[in-house]
Amino acid sequence: MGFVRAVHHVGDALMRGVARVAVIAGAFATAACASLGASSRSAEHIDRLAFGLGIRDTGMVSDSAWEAFIRDVVTPRFPQGFAVYRTEGQWRLDNGTIVKDPGRIIELIHVPDAATEAKVVEIADSYVKTFEQEAVGRHIIQGRTTLITPKGRP
């Protein structure tokens, strides 16, 4: 029923400036990671998928139903791992009513490609159909993942 919406409007000039800062920061971060013994991976997407737990007028997605969804739908598509956060969402309906809805956010870190995009969409589609939702919110962040290890370790 409910979902978190993340909408960002940023001007082109600001985006170019942010991009320049990101490139410079990335160069410093890579050098710093190398000196700390960290390994760096290629550019990635961080997908945050927002799932409302309310089911139309019939109740809530139970903990056991959520765990089954994670086990049967998410884990097979992202066996390398992901994070799940508990949330409390709020939004205003067209009639002005404020609705609150507990939810979950699944955070996926992956290299952007067509196959992975299809997996993300499959997860959202499955949730919408299984739990009678209007939509699943999605926030995509471009990033880079590093692992910091003690210096000298592989």
Side-chain angles (χ1 to χ4, degrees), residues 34-125:
S35 69
L36 290 173
S39 62
S40 179
R41 294 169 52 178
S42 62
E44 297 171 318
H45 278 175
I46 301 168
D47 263 300
R48 289 192 184 136
L49 303 177
F51 303 85
L53 296 181
I55 303 176
R56 299 202 185 258
D57 298 326
T58 62
M60 302 294 283
V61 174
S62 68
D63 287 343
S64 61
W66 174 258
E67 291 302 321
F69 174 75
I70 292 294
R71 180 188 66 238
D72 299 339
V73 178
V74 182
T75 300
R77 287 166 178 84
F78 288 90
Q80 69 277 21
F82 50 87
V84 177
Y85 306 101
R86 293 180 178 266
T87 64
E88 293 295 327
Q90 175 178 307
W91 67 97
R92 184 184 312 257
L93 297 175
D94 290 339
N95 68 9
T97 303
I98 299 293
V99 177
K100 296 182 179 185
D101 189 17
R104 301 288 182 273
I105 295 206
I106 295 178
E107 187 168 273
L108 308 164
I109 301 173
H110 59 87
V111 175
D113 60 31
T116 306
E117 175 67 17
K119 292 175 186 179
V120 172
V121 171
E122 288 169 2
I123 290 168
D125 285 347

